[in-house]
Amino acid sequence: MIRNVLGSLMGLIGATAAVWSPFRAWYDGRHGRDYRVQELFTAAGITDTKAALLGSVLLPFLIAALAVLLSIALRSRLLMAFAGIIVLGFAVLWMVRQGQAAGGLSVGGDGTGLGDGLANAFGAGALLILAAAVMSGRPRRRDRGPDRNGDRAPEPDRDTHPADSDPADSDPAQSPPLRAWPTPPQDHS
């Protein structure tokens, strides 16, 4: 349970960072919300055209954040990891397309080059994948016989000690081995 709580908290922090990242500078001071998501998949690549808010890079990050919320509700490690892959995938895809459009990528300390919004996206994606690894997920059902509702019912434990069971129920072939030395007689005086 502690692992699920910790993983859920990490997932919420990662989803928040992912949704916040398009509102920060991604490249040369241009915010992520200004890049159209369609430009990542077209031959023209990234242009100077501004995007509508829900048509920007924010859209896949919102979908990832919804997947995180759903994964927390369902305690699904797979869905949490999928959300992290969405965030990382779109960040990498954006880097490839931006590199093609600009002829290369640079990092500058004066606000030029790659910005902190992209770093937030990468950090958020990594945190979501780490959250999936931390979560224990839902407890697994063991393969057991069906009960009256069609669900699998628990079987009784078969790991009992021979001394704890009734001798009439025991199989003679499975009886405990004989001792080499008999027990000493008891003094009844």
Side-chain angles (χ1 to χ4, degrees), residues 1-9 77 131-137:
M1 181 171 154
I2 297 294
R3 291 178 60 189
N4 280 335
V5 171
L6 185 59
S8 298
L9 182 63
R77 296 174 66 189
V134 167
M135 288 177 70
S136 61

Side-chain angles (χ1 to χ4, degrees), residues 40-187:
L40 301 178
F41 300 103
T42 61
I46 293 179
T47 63
D48 290 335
T49 308
K50 284 198 153 212
L53 187 60
L54 289 180
S56 70
V57 176
L58 176 65
L59 180 64
F61 293 165
L62 284 174
I63 292 170
L66 289 175
V68 167
L69 293 176
L70 191 59
S71 73
I72 291 171
L74 297 175
R75 290 186 289 174
S76 172
R77 296 174 66 189
L78 186 63
L79 195 55
M80 182 74 76
F82 179 68
I85 290 171
I86 289 174
V87 173
L88 285 176
F90 273 92
V92 168
L93 183 61
W94 176 87
M95 280 185 70
V96 168
R97 299 307 259 166
Q98 179 64 40
Q100 289 173 343
L105 296 175
S106 64
V107 178
D110 58 348
T112 61
L114 297 174
D116 60 344
L118 182 64
N120 285 346
F122 276 109
L127 190 60
L128 291 174
I129 291 174
L130 185 62
V134 167
M135 288 177 70
S136 61
R138 244 185 289 170
R140 293 186 178 151
R141 291 184 153 187
R142 296 183 188 162
D143 192 30
R144 298 179 178 166
D147 66 0
R148 63 181 174 178
N149 295 331
D151 294 333
R152 307 295 257 179
E155 292 180 4
D157 289 338
R158 300 209 188 276
D159 298 333
T160 58
H161 191 271
D164 296 339
S165 62
D166 186 15
D169 292 339
S170 67
D171 183 14
Q174 299 294 329
S175 63
L178 297 175
R179 294 186 186 178
W181 299 98
T183 56
Q186 304 236 346
D187 187 18

